[in-house]
Amino acid sequence: GSGMDGLEIYVHGNAQDQLCQISKRGKLVVYGDVGQTFMYGAKGGEVYVLGNAAGRPMINAVGSPRVVINGTALDFLAESFMAGDPHNGGGFAILNGLYYDQEDGVLRPLELPYPGSNLLSLASGGAIYVRDPHRTLVDEQLNGGAYRALSAADWRLILPYLAENERLFGIRIGEDLLTVDGIW
C-alpha cells in the first residue's frame, strides 16, 4: 500500500513501518496497529486503523488523506501536515483514544487519547479530531496549532467516516464514542 492509487486493502493484523507512504487514493483497513511513519508524505486515501499508530504518523502529508485511528499515536501526529481546509476537500485525522481490553474484550477509553507532544505541529492545513471528553490535551502539546470545539460542520464532515468505522470494527458512534462514564 505504499504508493496506493485506487487500491482497496484489508490487513488482518498489525502492519509494518512506512505503510501508505505517498498513497494517493483508495482505501486501507488495518485490523491492528500500524508502524512508524505511517502515511509519511501521503497525498490522499481513506484509512481506518483499529489500534494505534507508532511515532510520526502522517508527517509531511498533503492533499486529502482522511484517517481514523481508534487507538492513539505515540508522537508527532501530523507534523508539517499540509492538507488544506478539511471542509473544502482537505485532509484530516480522527483519533478516538480507545482500546479493547485483552482480558475481557471490552472497548475502553485510553487514559490519554494522545500521550505525545507535537500534535499537528508546524502544520499549515488539515485538522485532527480527538475524542477527549475529559480534556486531557494541553497547549504544550501544540506547536503552531490551536484547539477548537467541534462545530456542526465538523460533525457533518466526520460522521460518514465514523459510520464506516462502526461498520468495519463495530465501534458504535452512540454507545462507544458519544457515551462517557455512562452518560450520552
Side-chain angles (χ1 to χ4, degrees):
S2 179
M4 190 170 74
D5 193 6
L7 198 61
E8 190 166 311
I9 303 171
Y10 292 81
V11 178
H12 295 276
N14 296 327
Q16 295 293 330
D17 296 347
Q18 299 173 338
L19 185 68
C20 278
Q21 189 175 29
I22 68 168
S23 70
K24 295 180 182 95
R25 61 186 181 89
K27 181 177 182 179
L28 172 72
V29 179
V30 179
Y31 290 87
D33 299 326
V34 295
Q36 298 284 338
T37 62
F38 161 66
M39 295 197 83
Y40 180 97
K43 293 163 183 54
E46 189 174 312
V47 179
Y48 300 87
V49 178
L50 178 59
N52 301 311
R56 297 191 176 277
M58 299 179 72
I59 65 169
N60 296 322
V62 300
S64 60
R66 296 181 169 201
V67 179
V68 178
I69 300 170
N70 286 293
T72 190
L74 294 181
D75 207 357
F76 293 96
L77 175 58
E79 179 184 27
S80 300
F81 199 30
M82 300 170 277
D85 179 357
H87 296 287
N88 290 307
F92 60 84
I94 299 169
L95 193 63
N96 284 326
L98 301 170
Y99 75 101
Y100 279 102
D101 189 315
Q102 295 297 316
E103 290 182 26
D104 59 14
V106 173
L107 190 65
R108 300 193 190 287
L110 291 166
E111 186 177 329
L112 299 171
Y114 182 75
S117 59
N118 297 303
L119 178 63
L120 204 65
S121 67
L122 307 173
S124 62
I128 300 174
Y129 298 98
V130 182
R131 181 183 177 277
D132 185 21
H134 299 294
R135 299 181 184 202
T136 62
L137 297 176
V138 294
D139 288 337
E140 289 75 23
Q141 290 174 289
L142 298 173
N143 183 7
Y147 294 120
R148 284 187 246 164
L150 189 71
S151 70
D154 291 321
W155 181 247
R156 285 190 301 275
L157 175 68
I158 67 173
L159 185 56
Y161 296 91
L162 294 175
E164 179 63 3
N165 189 63
E166 180 174 344
R167 188 188 73 76
L168 292 166
F169 302 126
I171 298 174
R172 302 164 299 175
I173 296 168
E175 297 86 343
D176 298 321
L177 298 176
L178 298 179
T179 301
V180 177
D181 300 329
I183 301 170
W184 194 85

